[in-house]
Amino acid sequence: MEHAEFNKDLLKFLDSSPTPWHAVSTMKDRLDAAGFVELDEKDDWSLASGQGYYVIRNGSSIVAFRAGQRDVTASGIRMVGAHTDSPCLKVKPNPEVRRKGFFQLGVEVYGGVLLNPWFDRDLSLAGRVTVLDEAGEVRDSLINFRKPVAFIPSLAIHLDREANSNRTVNPQTDLPPVLMQVPESDTTSFADLLRQQIATESGLKVRKVLGYELSFYDAREASFVGLRDEFIASARLDNLLSCYIGLQSLLTASGDEAALLVCNDHEEVGSMSAEGAQGPFLSSVLDRWCGAGRARAIARSMMISADNAHGIHPNYMDRHDENHGPLLNQGPVIKINHNQRYATNSRSAAVYRHISDELGLPHQSFVVRSDMGCGSTIGPITAGNLGVTTLDIGVPQFGMHSIRELIGTEDGYTLFRVLTEFMQREQVL
């Protein structure tokens, strides 16, 4: 895949994946097209050498792997990890709010959301709805309104003269989006609106809405930005970018060596769930793949945890260590924290640097300022659960956890090239 094709396809992937469920559905379609076989955790598995497989849990997490041509206990597994979720506003179970004829929805903040950018945006709504259909069957349905259906208006500065110096955001009272105007006699429920949308999208007739997990998102499509198109702006770059890079690397690699991609949900809220990185999903897949030889396979394996990094902001350069300020379009960032907020060690970093240097590609390093706290990733969690050598790396970006984020056009493709080589290399440790 060439550089320009990679970035154009990335934009399509981002636009088709407004929620973790849509992201996994998009990855499933691409894996199916590449000849991968879906496995069901409820069934017995019979795995063939060289074949590609994938497993989905909860519709929002996925493990995809190539079995390779050699015994996995002798070859080890080249693993890449990412996460499907992003900070957002999720609809509450009883969300209807009617004030002065405006129909609004109550929302819950999911993850570490940068709240101010959510105001004055065209918002759409997507996610998973669980319903009772006309046949009396309980089933899931993905929905995506696609068009702008909501707006969170700012309070005019005339009514808040300190808006630019002292405004705070109360998530309970300030964030309910406006969806429409309705007369006082209107009894339309949110469930009614969902039934209509499901019928429009899939033709499914719904007897009753039993539950949902729905998120608002920026309705503006991903786009190239800059006088020379040197940037990409989009929602959910953290961390759908890494999901896309990992997927394309797995699909592009030769398939001769055992390679795996895991994209977990719930990283933004700690990863403790049945399908999160702190849960048993990946470990269960490895048990069934490797059997009694799992410990030997893990000892020969390596995990690259790919999650975006903080590029040095030209307006806030003092927020970075002076020797560790990653620049956009200057290469992926090896993330290091000796307090184990990142799982990188000298050996795992050396493996990446060696492959990158062989390909003639750039790389950078990030260490947080010693007087600031450090974020974390699925890297330390996965390393601790599996006992696998792990590297934390990511594409540098601006605006992390904002409704719209920014990356350089070079870095994603650079990471893709290195991960592709990593996934097809005969020996990594």
Side-chain angles (χ1 to χ4, degrees), residues 74-96:
S75 68
I77 307 169
R78 296 122 197 87
M79 306 183 197
V80 172
H83 63 89
T84 59
D85 60 323
S86 301
C88 62
L89 304 181
K90 297 206 172 194
V91 181
K92 290 182 175 180
N94 299 308
E96 294 97 336

Side-chain angles (χ1 to χ4, degrees), residues 255-276:
D256 293 337
E257 303 299 330
L260 176 148
L261 170 68
V262 55
C263 296
N264 290 112
D265 196 1
H266 299 141
E267 190 274 345
E268 298 293 0
V269 292
S271 294
M272 176 56 81
S273 68
E275 54 276 3

Side-chain angles (χ1 to χ4, degrees), residues 19 45 115 143 166 179 246 271 277 307 331 334 353 372 384:
T19 72
W45 294 359
L115 292 175
I143 66 168
N166 195 32
L179 272 73
S271 294
D307 201 349
I334 296 170
R353 290 190 182 106
M372 294 177 65

Side-chain angles (χ1 to χ4, degrees), residues 291-313:
R294 172 178 154 169
R296 291 171 58 204
I298 291 297
R300 291 180 169 89
S301 301
M302 179 171 161
M303 161 68 76
I304 294 181
S305 168
D307 201 349
N308 295 0
H310 300 290
I312 187 166
H313 195 306

Side-chain angles (χ1 to χ4, degrees), residues 107-155:
V107 292
E108 181 180 8
V109 175
Y110 176 86
V113 179
L114 194 61
L115 292 175
N116 282 301
W118 281 79
F119 289 88
D120 308 323
R121 297 267 185 173
D122 295 352
L123 303 178
S124 193
L125 186 64
R128 181 176 69 176
V129 185
T130 304
V131 303
L132 187 69
D133 67 16
E134 281 199 328
E137 297 290 330
V138 177
R139 56 190 298 180
D140 294 329
S141 180
L142 295 187
I143 66 168
N144 183 5
F145 283 81
R146 297 184 184 278
K147 72 172 187 178
V149 297
F151 200 83
I152 306 174
S154 292
L155 182 63

